[in-house]
């Protein structure tokens, strides 16, 4: 009888020791689990906000510098191109009209009209390109409302996955919680890395838009000539593709938000693999949005 009481005493003591270790560790894991989702919310929301601000709000000084280069450097160069192409058009007109003997006034007026319109388009080319971006930003803004809605659903409790009060405290449960703690640390580190990758990708996108926009008068100066007009058309398709890259980035966030918002219960490891794996997949796909947008708009 004494041996039974001693054994029961030590069993209860051992159970009490495990419980005293399990409860604070569980709370720590719960805090880390919620921090993971808070970090996920923060990174995705920050990236979505960065996409919607646009290159002008991103850096007004860089925007003003690029616009100044377009107006003071590229427009004069484009004017020289237009002059050469206009002379080329006149030479062809002289050749085709038997030294202007058969030249019709209507044809001369068409050439002059094309010349004037091309000058006007080149003078306003930077604003036209930013207008393309504004169209893409409007579409991205509409999609951003869906993305923000999905972000607000990121609220998961550890109790949905692991019972806070088990029927029996064991060393295995403690080791399991320790493993969860390590996995959550890795998960938060991975999400932070993905956030940096996404941020850098968005900044590169803004720089690419500004770089292409700065030389917009040059390709638009070719529109006055039939043989060279493909240069301007290809450039326009490229800028449309660039303008809608933000839309496709936010579309990826919307898809990712839908996937993670569904994480409410189930196996812990499976959920962590889904959150972290999809996060890295999102970061990888961000680098492919340019190719996706270019293929849709047939931009070379």
């Amino acid at each position: 009888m004494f041996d039974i009481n001693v054994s029961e005493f030590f069993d209860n003591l051992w159970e009490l020791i495990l419980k005293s270790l399990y409860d604070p560790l569980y709370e720590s894991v719960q805090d880390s689990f919620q921090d993971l989702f808070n970090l996920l919310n923060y990174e995705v929301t920050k990236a979505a906000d960065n996409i919607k601000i646009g290159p002008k709000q991103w850096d007004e000084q860089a925007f003003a510098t690029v616009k100044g280069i377009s107006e003071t450097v590229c427009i004069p160069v484009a004017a020289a191109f237009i002059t050469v192409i206009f002379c080329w058009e006149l030479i062809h007109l002289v050749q085709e009209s038997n030294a202007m003997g058969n030249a019709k006034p209507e044809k001369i007026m068409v050439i002059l009209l094309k010349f004037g319109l091309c000058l006007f388009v080149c003078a306003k080319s930077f604003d036209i390109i930013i207008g393309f971006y504004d169209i893409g930003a409007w579409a991205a803004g509409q999609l951003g409302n869906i993305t923000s809605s999905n972000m607000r659903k990121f609220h998961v409790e550890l109790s949905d996955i692991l019972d806070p009060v088990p029927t029996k405290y064991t060393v295995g449960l403690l080791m399991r919680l320790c493993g969860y703690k390590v996995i959550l640390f890795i998960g938060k580190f991975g999400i932070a890395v993905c956030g940096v990758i996404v941020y850098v990708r968005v900044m590169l996108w803004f720089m690419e838009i500004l770089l292409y926009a700065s030389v917009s008068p040059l390709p638009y100066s070719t529109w006055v000539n039939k043989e060279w007009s493909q240069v301007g058309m290809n450039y326009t398709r490229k800028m449309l593709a660039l303008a809608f890259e933000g839309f496709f980035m936010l579309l990826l966030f919307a898809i990712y938000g839908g996937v993670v918002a569904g994480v409410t219960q189930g196996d812990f490891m499976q959920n962590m693999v889904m959150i972290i794996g999809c996060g890295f997949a999102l970061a990888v796909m961000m680098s492919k949005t340019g190719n996706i947008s270019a293929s849709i708009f047939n931009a070379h």
Side-chain angles (χ1 to χ4, degrees):
M1 183 68 179
F2 179 75
D3 293 338
I4 295 176
N5 291 334
V6 171
S7 177
E8 184 178 351
F9 170 78
F10 280 108
D11 288 342
N12 292 335
L13 179 61
W14 180 244
E15 183 83 4
L16 183 62
I17 293 173
L18 291 178
K19 183 179 185 303
S20 64
L21 295 174
Y22 182 90
D23 290 344
L25 183 58
Y26 185 92
E27 292 180 3
S28 176
V29 173
Q30 170 65 44
D31 292 340
S32 297
F33 192 70
Q34 194 56 53
D35 288 344
L36 176 74
F37 280 87
N38 290 337
L39 179 61
L40 191 59
N41 279 322
Y42 172 75
E43 292 293 347
V44 174
T45 303
K46 181 181 71 173
D49 291 340
N50 285 334
I51 289 172
K52 290 185 287 185
I53 62 174
K56 183 176 181 178
Q57 289 76 16
W58 167 60
D59 195 316
E60 293 185 0
Q61 184 62 42
F63 184 86
T65 300
V66 168
K67 186 176 182 180
I69 291 173
S70 176
E71 293 174 349
T72 59
V73 178
C74 294
I75 287 181
V77 174
F81 288 171
I82 293 174
T83 303
V84 172
I85 295 175
F86 179 66
C87 294
W88 190 359
E89 289 282 324
L90 290 178
I91 292 171
H92 276 284
L93 177 62
V94 171
Q95 293 175 341
E96 293 173 358
S97 61
N98 191 19
M100 300 295 289
N102 300 327
K104 297 181 179 180
E106 296 84 357
K107 194 166 186 179
I108 297 176
M109 288 300 299
V110 168
I111 292 177
L112 292 175
L113 182 61
K114 287 167 58 179
F115 179 71
L117 288 175
C118 192
L119 285 174
F120 177 78
V121 170
C122 286
K124 297 294 184 180
S125 58
F126 188 86
D127 295 332
I128 292 173
I129 296 305
I130 298 302
F132 289 162
Y133 171 80
D134 291 339
I135 296 173
W138 178 86
Q142 300 303 307
L143 189 60
N145 297 331
I146 301 174
T147 304
S148 300
S149 175
N150 282 336
M151 294 305 107
R152 288 192 290 268
K153 298 177 184 177
F154 287 1
H155 183 76
V156 180
E157 298 291 336
L158 184 61
S159 57
D160 297 329
I161 299 173
L162 185 64
D163 190 359
V165 184
T167 56
K168 184 176 178 59
Y169 295 93
T170 62
V171 177
L173 282 177
L174 286 176
M175 298 302 295
R176 185 179 177 185
L177 281 177
C178 291
Y180 288 174
K181 188 72 175 179
V182 173
I183 293 171
L184 288 170
F185 175 79
I186 296 173
K188 288 194 288 186
F189 177 77
I191 291 173
V193 171
C194 290
V196 172
I197 294 174
V198 171
Y199 177 80
V200 172
R201 175 67 183 89
V202 174
M203 296 305 104
L204 289 175
W205 175 51
F206 287 156
M207 291 180 183
E208 192 174 7
I209 290 175
L210 292 177
L211 181 63
Y212 274 96
S214 65
V215 296
S216 56
L218 302 183
Y220 281 161
S221 66
T222 63
W223 272 8
V224 74
N225 182 264
K226 182 178 180 180
E227 288 78 11
W228 284 77
S229 61
Q230 285 301 315
V231 175
M233 292 303 299
N234 289 338
Y235 174 80
T236 300
R237 287 195 290 264
K238 175 64 177 179
M239 294 312 300
L240 283 171
L242 271 176
F244 275 84
E245 276 189 39
F247 173 82
F248 291 110
M249 290 179 191
L250 283 178
L251 183 58
L252 285 175
F253 286 131
I255 295 172
Y256 183 60
V259 171
V260 181
V263 179
T264 56
Q265 58 185 356
D267 181 74
F268 179 86
M269 286 298 299
Q270 180 181 353
N271 289 331
M272 288 299 100
V273 169
M274 181 179 295
I275 293 171
I276 300 171
C278 289
F280 278 104
L282 171 67
V284 172
M285 285 301 297
M286 287 284 287
S287 64
K288 297 180 179 293
T289 53
N291 293 333
I292 294 172
S293 186
S295 64
I296 291 174
F297 287 95
N298 192 27
H300 303 297

